[in-house]
Amino acid sequence: MQSLTKIRTFTTALICFCSLGVYADTAGTIERLKGDATIFSENNAFATAREGAIIQVGDVIETAVGEMLIRYHDKAKMTIGPQTRLRIEQYSPAGTINAAMVFRLFSGYLRSVTGLLGKTNPGGFRIYTPMATVGIRGTDFIAQAGDSFTVAVISGTVEVTNDVRTTVVRAGNEVSFTGRSGQHQMSANLSSPMKALVESTQKVEDSAPNSEKEKEEEKEKEIEATPAIKGAAVKAAAAAGDSATGAANSNSSVKSNGSANSSSTDSSGSSGSSGSSGSSGSSGSSGSSGSSGSSGSSGSSGSSGSSGSSGSSGKSK
């Protein structure tokens, strides 16, 4: 018994270790790719990006004219725009020790929608850029690095920190920096260039096969269809009940009519038999005389019997 317990404990530990090992090396999967991109690993090897490829910690992603959607293990998603260079610095998903997602954006832009980590440990999410560091509180935002650094928040809240200050940016606002110690400019609305990036990244996300949006829409359709399905089932059951009732009534009516017809037939048969009997009586009476038989033949009623009586009178003569 003790040996069995030890084996089970060892197996459980091994499974946990392997799971942590997988997460320690991998971060997510390329869910959608439009155009060309290259992935450089820590050992200086590189490969052409493709849909379904695994993204590992330490990988550097470079896009040319392409756009890429990455889905991380905690359901976070990140859309990387053209002419972008991004490194996966650290990835320890929610539920693990020191859960964190850390990226370094050298140039270009990305859109990030946080997943479980953003809800359970938002302080563990950071994006380093040449001019500022981005932290989140559970959000959807775009970060663009170049000659200046701009963050536009679509939903939630973002904290942008440079060497001078930390600026809180809320949904619908954007902020731009000209350097790590330079002045920043806050805007209460998204600029036209940022709106264009929002639309562009949204198209990439919507085009992803089996995207979360499609799954949510399918669930909503199922929920909406459920009352209709139930209603149809109730109507069908009611119709089936009405049909069964109608069939029962029809059978009852047929049986009733059959009984009535049978009774009528029996009654008619009785009547015919009676008439025949009268005729027989008449015929029996007419045995004495042919004329009487003629008279008996002429009536099946009691009057024929009377004629038969006449025949008897003729015989007397």
Side-chain angles (χ1 to χ4, degrees):
M1 185 68 181
Q2 291 180 348
S3 298
L4 181 60
T5 302
K6 289 180 180 180
I7 291 172
R8 288 178 176 175
T9 303
F10 174 77
T11 303
T12 303
L14 182 61
I15 292 172
C16 293
F17 175 79
C18 291
S19 299
L20 291 174
V22 169
Y23 282 127
D25 294 332
T26 67
T29 305
I30 299 176
E31 192 169 87
R32 184 62 171 158
L33 178 63
K34 298 175 65 177
D36 298 326
T38 305
I39 301 174
F40 297 88
S41 62
E42 285 188 306
N43 59 6
N44 295 323
F46 66 92
T48 301
R50 57 178 177 78
E51 290 183 359
I54 300 298
I55 299 299
Q56 296 183 322
V57 175
D59 284 350
V60 175
I61 300 168
E62 289 188 5
T63 58
V65 294
E67 295 174 290
M68 178 188 298
L69 173 64
I70 299 174
R71 180 83 59 178
Y72 294 97
H73 293 312
D74 72 328
K75 304 303 180 182
K77 52 191 175 183
M78 182 177 287
T79 305
I80 303 171
Q83 305 297 322
T84 297
R85 188 165 182 260
L86 173 75
R87 186 174 190 270
I88 316 297
E89 298 270 332
Q90 181 182 350
Y91 184 78
S92 300
T96 59
I97 300 174
N98 299 322
M101 295 178 69
V102 181
F103 306 91
R104 189 171 297 276
L105 178 63
F106 300 99
S107 60
Y109 72 89
L110 61 81
R111 178 176 178 177
S112 175
V113 180
T114 55
L116 184 60
L117 181 74
K119 298 176 182 178
T120 58
N121 185 29
F125 184 98
R126 292 183 301 281
I127 296 179
Y128 294 110
T129 75
M131 299 183 188
T133 301
V134 179
I136 57 95
R137 299 178 185 175
T139 189
D140 178 359
F141 69 94
I142 290 179
Q144 184 178 35
D147 295 336
S148 62
F149 176 65
T150 304
V151 172
V153 181
I154 301 163
S155 66
T157 305
V158 167
E159 292 182 347
V160 184
T161 303
N162 67 357
D163 293 341
V164 177
R165 64 178 59 82
T166 295
T167 303
V168 177
V169 189
R170 292 182 169 80
N173 299 342
E174 70 177 64
V175 62
S176 296
F177 291 84
T178 56
R180 291 203 65 87
S181 57
Q183 295 295 319
H184 75 285
Q185 181 178 356
M186 178 74 77
S187 174
N189 300 297
L190 298 187
S191 62
S192 296
M194 285 294 109
K195 289 180 180 179
L197 294 184
V198 171
E199 293 178 1
S200 176
T201 53
Q202 189 63 51
K203 288 180 180 178
V204 175
E205 181 181 331
D206 291 344
S207 67
N210 301 321
S211 65
E212 291 297 318
K213 183 177 180 180
E214 289 178 353
K215 292 177 182 178
E216 290 174 1
E217 289 177 350
E218 289 177 0
K219 288 181 181 179
E220 289 176 359
K221 288 179 180 178
E222 289 178 1
I223 293 171
E224 291 174 358
T226 298
I229 293 172
K230 288 182 178 179
V234 171
K235 289 181 180 178
D242 293 342
S243 178
T245 302
N249 291 338
S250 177
N251 290 336
S252 176
S253 177
V254 169
K255 289 179 180 179
S256 177
N257 290 338
S259 296
N261 291 337
S262 177
S263 298
S264 176
T265 302
D266 292 343
S267 176
S268 298
S270 238
S271 211
S273 174
S274 182
S276 180
S277 178
S279 178
S280 292
S282 186
S283 203
S285 284
S286 65
S288 302
S289 155
S291 64
S292 296
S294 181
S295 280
S297 162
S298 66
S300 309
S301 62
S303 62
S304 296
S306 187
S307 290
S309 179
S310 279
S312 191
S313 160
K315 187 176 180 180
S316 287
K317 289 180 182 179

